[in-house]
Amino acid sequence: MTAGKAGFVGLGLMGFPMAANLLAAGWEVTGWNRSEAAVARLTALGGRRAATVAALRDEPVIVIMLPDLQYIQDAAAPLLESWRAEPPAPGTAVVVMSSVSPTAVRGFGALVQEASGGNAVVLDAPVSGGTKGAEDGTLAIMVGAGEADFERLLPLFTAMGTTVRRMGGLGAGSLAKACNQLIVGTTTAALAEAAELAERSGMDTAALFEVLSGGLAGSRVLELVGPRLAAKDYVPTGPAKFMHKDLNFVLESAAATGAAVPMATAGVGLYGELIDQGLGDQDLAVVRQAISNLSDSHATITTKATTTKEGQQ
């Protein structure tokens, strides 16, 4: 397969620039999105509009970029019903590029195979690189698929990313993304802790991050997220609440294999606290605010305990 035809479901912060890059690479893209404005932006670039997801039934490739598998299953339900009535062409591919459960995506693959009479296959191909990577076409794409299906769809992936790897069969891409999120989520949290500690000690956070970047603590996370942490810039490039979901996938996979994941366990607790504080729709960097709030609460409790103790003396 070279540049061909594809349907695209989900034209949000990540999905729209990914679909735009497919168009730029010569693909014919027909898009569906719950919000009509995003579809209008796609058609302005030369894309086509699908009135429903089921209207994409005859596309040879259907890319899905929705927040979680439940959204994907709900959106795909009319499509699968259409395929039950009339199977699609053999070799039809459904490419799940969202961050989803490695276990659950295999179940979705079985559902699609049944509904399509065996004519459609699911690949999981989650991405890393954020909105900038999506816009620049430099995403890292982790693919779970058979070797032949991966090779057949490689032109699709290389139109959106520069680092593309087949990690194994269906579900392997999602497991690789879960590992990615384990590193990104806990590293961001560690940087947020360092920022709060530095600032509360009278140190300039930006200066701290600058010197850290020249040593062993330097990382891509520090390079990209560090400036937002230092500036307390929480305008969303991706909602922080999704990290809680992704880290839970790590726990799920760890339970299935007997692996100990203490960092992921701590991360689930911290990002759960972030959501409880009402910060989940802001950028991942808002974990610094969550830690700041925890620090304030700890200081209040400590002050009250000290005051009570002194009053009893």
Side-chain angles (χ1 to χ4, degrees):
M1 179 183 291
T2 55
K5 297 176 60 181
F8 208 108
V9 177
L11 300 171
L13 287 172
M14 294 290 291
F16 176 79
M18 290 165 66
N21 280 326
L22 284 177
L23 284 170
W27 287 73
E28 295 180 27
V29 180
T30 303
W32 178 90
N33 194 69
R34 187 173 58 181
S35 166
E36 181 61 32
V39 180
R41 290 175 65 201
L42 187 71
T43 57
L45 294 178
R48 298 175 182 174
R49 174 185 179 275
T52 64
V53 176
L56 299 171
R57 55 154 288 119
D58 294 322
E59 296 292 332
V61 184
I62 301 172
V63 177
I64 304 180
M65 193 64 176
L66 295 174
D68 200 357
L69 197 58
Q70 187 58 58
Y71 291 88
I72 293 170
Q73 290 173 329
D74 291 346
L79 173 70
L80 299 189
E81 285 305 308
S82 174
W83 282 350
R84 286 190 176 94
E86 182 182 349
T92 297
V94 177
V95 185
V96 176
M97 302 195 76
S98 320
S99 298
V100 298
S101 160
T103 302
V105 77
R106 288 192 288 268
F108 180 64
L111 180 65
V112 168
Q113 185 175 46
E114 172 272 319
S116 67
N119 285 358
V121 63
V122 171
L123 299 80
D124 63 322
V127 303
S128 181
T131 53
K132 179 170 175 52
E135 291 163 0
D136 295 345
T138 58
L139 292 169
I141 305 177
M142 299 152 259
V143 186
E147 185 69 43
D149 290 324
F150 172 74
E151 292 295 337
R152 180 166 60 96
L153 290 170
L154 193 55
L156 176 92
F157 298 133
T158 55
M160 297 181 283
T162 50
T163 304
V164 182
R165 296 288 184 274
R166 175 180 174 268
M167 307 307 297
L170 180 60
S174 296
L175 179 57
K177 179 58 185 290
C179 292
N180 178 86
Q181 296 302 82
L182 168 59
I183 295 167
V184 172
T186 57
T187 302
T188 300
L191 289 170
E193 284 190 28
E196 276 300 299
L197 176 60
E199 184 173 285
R200 288 170 184 262
S201 302
M203 189 181 296
D204 181 79
T205 301
L208 172 67
F209 283 173
E210 181 181 354
V211 73
L212 292 181
S213 68
L216 192 58
S219 69
R220 186 71 168 158
V221 178
L222 175 55
E223 178 186 344
L224 294 180
V225 186
R228 298 203 297 273
L229 288 166
K232 301 180 182 179
D233 176 7
Y234 307 140
V235 176
T237 60
K241 62 187 177 184
F242 292 153
M243 183 58 71
H244 184 257
K245 165 183 71 77
D246 293 345
L247 290 177
N248 269 301
F249 295 153
V250 176
L251 300 192
E252 175 188 282
S253 299
T257 59
V261 284
M263 296 298 290
T265 301
V268 166
L270 176 57
Y271 286 99
E273 170 67 25
L274 180 153
I275 292 170
D276 289 344
Q277 291 181 16
L279 304 173
D281 289 328
Q282 298 186 62
D283 188 77
L284 179 64
V286 82
V287 70
R288 177 176 178 181
Q289 185 60 54
I291 290 171
S292 179
N293 293 342
L294 285 172
S295 300
D296 292 341
S297 297
H298 177 72
T300 300
I301 292 170
T302 301
T303 300
K304 287 181 178 179
T306 301
T307 302
T308 301
K309 183 177 181 180
E310 290 176 347
Q312 292 172 346
Q313 292 177 347

